[in-house]
């Protein structure tokens, strides 16, 4: 495979020369600080498949998608059976690290109680395969997929009972895998998981009270805030457990991740500039303020009022400082316009009417055509640095979707341009003092995408989902990323992607 990868690289040197409109001044991975981690990522539901094998029981994704007759992750990439092949691809690519999630319903099928030995064996084998090949595992404990059993039993995240069960699940993971895993993320994209699942009802568990959303239950006025609160308390509980029981011996770190957007005002009016501050408070400060300072933003407390849960003094102290790093999921830039407070169509306030802004994404968001706006990444990292004491940050996801077309995807130059621009933005932010320590491309291969099924994909490697063997093949972006990681400037130069314009960095020098 290594020889074929090299031959394809030579071909791409010739075939893609001059076709990319990227910048032309040099930066390489050697410009990043020593120890800066470059990796890629997947998640359990999107990659593993094996939906009911070896003792796994349904998660909320299974029960959300199956009744709706939507594309699903029942098979996905079949990573459950093909993980050794995939780790070999990671080695050939030159990844430092790989981010993946553990399926709670595979490891502890009922959410609490007995551990599934086959699930335990799979994750032990997968982690060992990574470590034995020199790849650092970054593990997410919760990527939107708690067991359906606890959703049915007590309502999942709307009930504080989940804090105890989630902590017990994390305890199993730390005990069984912690000698080899040094980076743990408790919750993936806590803000958008909450909005999608409990405000809009567009993702599991599909709860909302907005008309036209076809939700059978939920309350968009209160549940997003209750769930967000419980996520923070569960994270803090897990973080405390790790520090008290495991950290001295395992010497790892526990973080929390958020979806971020680079906001810019749609006009220079005072109202729109104030709207930016409000959008940042609601979208980022909602979770970051408690994690760093121990309480919600004042703007949220004023607007949401009694619908926003209150931290007790003890809870505030437990949440404050509980995240060793902040995980950033970043793809998008958006214009923000102030709007006067209007309740949602149901007549009751929800998260978006509380926030009181209109958000217009750059590019064609509905067509999954993301704008290349590296300033958005810079602005997010600068905001975190300036507003939250410059905590350690890992960019846990960044990438560009493209229409699922095997021939088109092989020459995914737009993805290369996107990744090149954003890695450059991360470098500029690091040179400006951001404490960013790693960058992970989403995704390592084509996956089941949580919002669009198999219609669009982000992968560096294509997966032929029509092939019973689900053959993986490197795209141009896989060769580009590998060349970047290995310092292969000959390949990079062939595409005009080795360099950024010198003025890109002038403000950082």
């Amino acid at each position: 495979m290594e020889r074929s990868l090299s031959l394809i690289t030579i071909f791409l040197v010739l075939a893609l020369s001059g076709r990319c409109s990227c910048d032309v001044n040099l930066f390489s991975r050697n410009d990043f600080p020593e120890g800066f981690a470059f990796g890629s990522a997947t998640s359990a539901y999107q990659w593993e498949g094996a939906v009911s094998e070896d003792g796994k029981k349904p998660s909320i994704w299974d029960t959300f998608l199956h009744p709706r007759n939507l594309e699903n992750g029942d098979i996905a990439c079949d990573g459950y059976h093909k993980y050794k092949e995939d780790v070999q691809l990671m080695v050939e690519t030159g990844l430092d690290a790989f981010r993946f999630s553990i399926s709670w319903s595979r490891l502890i099928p009922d959410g609490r109680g007995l551990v599934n030995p086959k699930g335990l064996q799979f994750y032990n084998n997968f982690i060992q395969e990574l470590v034995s090949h020199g790849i650092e595992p970054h593990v997410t404990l919760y990527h939107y997929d708690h067991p359906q059993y606890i959703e049915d039993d007590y309502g999942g995240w709307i009930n504080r009972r989940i804090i105890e069960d989630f902590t017990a699940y994390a305890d199993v993971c730390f005990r069984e895998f912690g000698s080899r895993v040094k980076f743990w993320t408790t919750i993936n994209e806590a803000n958008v998981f909450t909005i999608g699942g409990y405000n809009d009802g567009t993702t599991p568990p599909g709860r909302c009270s907005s008309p036209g959303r076809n939700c059978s239950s939920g309350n968009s006025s209160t549940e997003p805030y209750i769930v967000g609160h419980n996520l923070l308390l569960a994270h803090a509980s897990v973080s405390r457990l790790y520090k008290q029981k495991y950290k001295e011996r395992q010497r790892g770190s526990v973080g929390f991740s958020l979806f971020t957007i680079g906001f810019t005002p749609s006009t220079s009016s005072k109202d729109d500039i104030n709207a930016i501050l409000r959008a940042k408070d609601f979208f980022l400060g909602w979770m970051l303020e408690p994690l760093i300072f121990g309480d919600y933003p004042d703007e949220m407390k004023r607007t949401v009022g009694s619908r926003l849960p209150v931290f007790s003094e003890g809870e505030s102290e437990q949440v404050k400082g509980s995240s060793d790093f902040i995980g950033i999921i970043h793809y998008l830039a958006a214009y923000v316009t102030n709007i006067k407070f209007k309740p949602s169509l149901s007549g009751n306030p929800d998260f978006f009417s509380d926030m009181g802004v209109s958000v217009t994404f750059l590019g064609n968001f509905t067509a999954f055509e993301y704008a290349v706006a590296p300033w958005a990444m810079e602005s997010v990292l600068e905001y975190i640095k300036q507003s939250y004491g410059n905590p350690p940050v890992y960019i846990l996801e960044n990438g560009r979707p493209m229409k699922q077309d095997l021939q088109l995807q092989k020459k995914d130059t737009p993805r290369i341009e996107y990744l090149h621009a954003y890695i450059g933005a991360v470098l500029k932010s690091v040179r400006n003092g951001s404490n960013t320590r790693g960058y992970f491309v989403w995704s390592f291969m084509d996956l089941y995408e949580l919002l669009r099924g198999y219609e669009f994909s982000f992968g560096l490697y294509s997966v032929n989902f029509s092939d019973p063997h689900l053959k993986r093949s490197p795209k141009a972006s896989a060769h580009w990323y590998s060349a970047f990681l290995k310092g292969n400037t000959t390949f990079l130069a062939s595409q005009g992607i080795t360099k950024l314009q010198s003025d890109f960095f002038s403000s950082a020098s």
Side-chain angles (χ1 to χ4, degrees), residues 25 47 92 101 110 122 140 155 165 190 247 251 371 378 430 504:
N25 281 353
W47 172 72
E92 293 169 6
S101 70
D110 290 330
F122 167 68
T140 299
D165 287 340
K247 190 173 182 68
R251 308 190 72 79
E378 292 176 54
V430 169
F504 183 83

Side-chain angles (χ1 to χ4, degrees), residues 58 87 183 198 484 492:
V87 171
F183 296 92
Y198 299 88
F484 171 75
L492 296 173

Side-chain angles (χ1 to χ4, degrees), residues 67-123:
R68 292 167 170 81
N69 294 315
L70 297 172
E71 290 182 320
N72 58 60
D74 287 4
I75 299 172
C77 305
D78 197 24
Y80 187 75
H81 297 108
K82 298 173 75 68
Y83 69 91
K84 288 188 178 181
E85 174 186 335
D86 291 345
V87 171
Q88 189 57 42
L89 294 178
M90 297 173 206
V91 173
E92 293 169 6
T93 307
L95 301 186
D96 302 328
F98 185 70
R99 174 182 175 247
F100 65 97
S101 70
I102 290 173
S103 167
W104 188 352
S105 59
R106 190 181 298 284
L107 187 63
I108 307 176
D110 290 330
R112 60 179 180 274
L114 296 177
V115 174
N116 175 18
K118 291 290 185 67
L120 180 63
Q121 181 182 24
F122 167 68
Y123 290 114

Side-chain angles (χ1 to χ4, degrees), residues 46-71:
Q46 298 171 269
W47 172 72
E48 286 179 6
V51 64
S52 57
E53 288 188 42
D54 293 340
K56 182 187 178 296
K57 290 188 178 180
S59 75
I60 57 171
W61 270 103
D62 298 310
T63 52
F64 183 81
L65 293 171
H66 286 168
R68 292 167 170 81
N69 294 315
L70 297 172
E71 290 182 320

Side-chain angles (χ1 to χ4, degrees), residues 188-205:
N188 178 68
E189 297 178 333
N191 48 353
V192 295
F193 162 67
T194 304
I195 295 165
Y198 299 88
N199 188 82
D200 297 346
T202 52
T203 56

Side-chain angles (χ1 to χ4, degrees), residues 151-225:
E151 184 70 20
D152 294 337
D153 187 27
Y154 56 74
W157 286 108
I158 63 173
N159 193 314
R160 283 197 178 207
R161 285 178 58 186
I162 200 170
I163 297 169
E164 181 179 351
D165 287 340
F166 185 67
T167 305
Y169 156 60
D171 197 8
V172 171
C173 294
F174 295 153
R175 183 182 73 228
E176 299 293 339
F177 314 131
S179 63
R180 292 159 293 166
V181 175
K182 306 304 177 188
F183 296 92
W184 299 93
T185 300
T186 52
I187 309 294
N188 178 68
E189 297 178 333
N191 48 353
V192 295
F193 162 67
T194 304
I195 295 165
Y198 299 88
N199 188 82
D200 297 346
T202 52
T203 56
R207 296 178 63 86
C208 69
S209 56
S210 301
R213 294 289 191 180
N214 199 28
C215 296
S216 59
S217 60
N219 186 329
S220 301
S221 294
T222 58
E223 287 188 4
Y225 303 113

